[in-house]
Amino acid sequence: MNVAAVIAEYNPFHHGHAWQYREIRRICGEDTAIINVMSGEFTQRGEPAILPKFVRGDLAIKMGSDLVLELPLPFACSAAGSFAAGAVRLLAATGLRMNVFCGAEDSDRPDIFYNIAKILIDEPKIFEDELHLLLDSGNSFAVARSRAVIKFLSSLQPDWYLTALQEGFSFETFFKSSNNILALEYTVAILRCQLSKQLTLHFLPRQGQAEKDKSLTTAPGTWLSGTALRQAILSTSSTAALLRILAGKMPAHVLGEILLHHREHSIPTCNSLSLPLFARLRVATREELSCALGGNEGLLRAAQILLQKQGRELTNWTDLAVEVTDKRRPTGRVNRAFCAFLLNIDQNEFDLQLKAGPSYIRPLAYSKRGRYLLRLLRQKATLPLINNASDFLEYFPTDAVRQQGELCLRAADLIAYSLQRPGGTEFNEFARAGKYLSGEN
């Protein structure tokens, strides 16, 4: 059986994702089994996912996936490099050889991805010196790194770089394209972990709107971006109005679930977590702030001071994040720090978990083919497979499993509280097994 993998958040699942499934099976064969690695309750941007992870997993199976695995929270709610490394290591832990597919704006230039990845892994002195200089000048890490790569290439002028320039390739545009950045991080992770023989990376052209485009008006046949869909869902108060806006613009199964959760006011947002965030920041000591993720750079202390001085003007999470955001601390980084602070993740714990990698494999949903894949995983996987509460209890004494499992429990309860619903019992989050959808694939 051919096996392919896609790393995604499906927040929400849209027509571009469905196209990826069709394209993968066109390339690899109709009987190809597709595995997804998907974030859980919180996304890489540090925001709650629009739909619960189990619902998103079920929808992915209905749209053509075979097995959806949860990316543990320390990696799912992390910067692009850690997100990609965690997902790649989770796929490698299945023990299966597979083709890994990702979208990219420059999908026709795999040579560019691999050559830049080697620079990021080797960290030559010219690159490293420029990177530190740019960081010291107050640039964000992403901006500093991209400029340092371009500086290194313009200084060294390797043949492949000069050829790309002659062909009109723009390295500045390359680094400003969000799908390119994640695709580059997948490339780095696979090469750095020496997984090229097990995981073969393929680049698919991005379909539809640019990721950052929020417009709901597109040319005929152009699919809406995830950003545009999220903007519409979160900014529309009437469910009937939302139906009129999104009818025909996303898969029917997905739209149905979104409308159901929208009508029941069960779509969490950063702002629905404002009160617990403000309360936690207001009572935290300086020592707690400095030990927290992002606290060593003064981000959380700056937020606390703003609350003390401008508490009446700052009415929600978004207002506070806007005030804290600057050139060095982009919004995604601020949101991730707020999220980690609410979940009580300190910097040392976070660093240890990122270094260790995922500690278990957890299926959220699977098809008939996926059930066969799970049997293979029980034979080949290098990490414990946790599909229900008894599996979790069996491996709970293991420190790494307990730590990542507890974060999963905290995240689920935090989302429940944000929607003014009761949290679960200690193992409620793991009491629900991955769902088998018998009629699918």
Side-chain angles (χ1 to χ4, degrees), residues 259-273:
L259 293 174
L260 175 63
H261 283 75
H262 191 275
R263 185 184 64 194
E264 295 178 349
H265 305 288
S266 58
I267 294 179
T269 66
C270 286
N271 287 344
S272 62
L273 293 166

Side-chain angles (χ1 to χ4, degrees), residues 61-371:
I61 299 298
K62 289 177 180 177
M63 297 306 299
S65 181
D66 292 296
L67 175 61
V68 181
L69 304 176
E70 180 181 6
L71 180 63
L73 188 135
F75 310 96
C77 189
S78 189
S82 302
F83 176 93
V88 164
R89 293 174 72 176
L90 188 64
L91 288 173
T94 64
L96 303 177
R97 295 184 66 177
M98 64 186 75
N99 294 295
V100 181
F101 288 83
C102 64
E105 287 83 359
D106 291 299
S107 61
D108 59 336
R109 297 305 303 263
D111 57 315
I112 301 290
F113 288 93
Y114 282 99
N115 284 317
I116 293 178
K118 290 174 184 176
I119 296 171
L120 298 179
I121 293 169
D122 295 340
E123 295 186 330
K125 190 174 188 308
I126 295 176
F127 163 78
E128 193 173 15
D129 290 346
E130 185 68 15
L131 176 64
H132 290 307
L133 180 64
L134 289 164
L135 287 173
D136 290 343
S137 300
N139 292 284
S140 69
F141 178 77
V143 170
R145 191 177 69 163
S146 64
R147 291 179 180 174
V149 169
I150 293 172
K151 173 77 171 183
F152 171 79
L153 291 173
S154 62
S155 300
L156 209 66
Q157 297 194 339
D159 290 342
W160 65 268
Y161 169 73
L162 295 176
T163 300
L165 290 180
Q166 290 170 0
E167 294 171 348
F169 188 86
S170 170
F171 286 86
E172 288 79 7
T173 302
F174 175 90
F175 281 109
K176 291 178 181 177
S177 304
S178 54
N179 290 95
N180 279 349
I181 297 304
L182 267 177
L184 178 60
E185 296 294 359
Y186 298 140
T187 310
V188 169
I190 290 173
L191 293 178
R192 179 172 280 149
C193 297
Q194 300 181 339
L195 294 171
S196 298
K197 291 184 178 179
Q198 182 185 357
L199 308 178
T200 303
L201 188 60
H202 302 267
F203 305 98
L204 295 175
R206 175 175 174 79
Q207 301 294 306
Q209 279 180 315
E211 175 59 29
K212 296 179 182 179
D213 191 342
K214 298 180 181 180
S215 173
L216 293 172
T217 303
T218 61
T222 302
W223 299 321
L224 292 178
S225 68
T227 301
L229 292 169
R230 284 191 299 276
Q231 176 81 3
I233 293 164
L234 298 177
S235 64
T236 305
S237 57
S238 164
T239 303
L242 185 61
L243 172 60
R244 289 193 295 272
I245 292 169
L246 296 183
K249 294 183 178 179
M250 62 192 313
H253 284 303
V254 183
L255 180 56
E257 285 289 349
I258 287 173
L259 293 174
L260 175 63
H261 283 75
H262 191 275
R263 185 184 64 194
E264 295 178 349
H265 305 288
S266 58
I267 294 179
T269 66
C270 286
N271 287 344
S272 62
L273 293 166
S274 299
L275 290 180
L277 174 66
F278 286 10
R280 179 116 169 79
L281 281 170
R282 193 65 183 84
V283 302
T285 65
R286 289 197 180 191
E287 182 180 1
E288 288 175 321
L289 293 174
S290 64
C291 292
L293 181 62
N296 59 353
E297 61 187 45
L299 187 159
L300 294 172
R301 176 60 180 158
Q304 185 184 61
I305 292 171
L306 281 167
L307 273 181
Q308 292 170 348
K309 293 183 175 180
Q310 304 177 34
R312 294 187 177 182
E313 290 80 27
L314 300 171
T315 59
N316 56 46
W317 173 311
T318 302
D319 288 347
L320 182 59
V322 167
E323 291 297 321
V324 177
T325 296
D326 57 25
K327 185 170 72 169
R328 186 163 189 170
R329 301 183 296 218
T331 303
R333 188 171 184 174
V334 172
N335 284 339
R336 286 192 295 270
F338 286 175
C339 177
F341 188 57
L342 273 178
L343 292 169
N344 200 29
I345 304 173
D346 67 31
Q347 187 70 56
N348 288 337
E349 177 188 2
F350 184 77
D351 291 341
L352 287 172
Q353 294 213 27
L354 290 187
K355 184 177 180 180
S359 61
Y360 56 79
I361 298 173
R362 188 184 184 199
L364 298 177
Y366 52 94
S367 67
K368 184 177 180 180
R369 267 195 299 247
R371 186 164 60 174

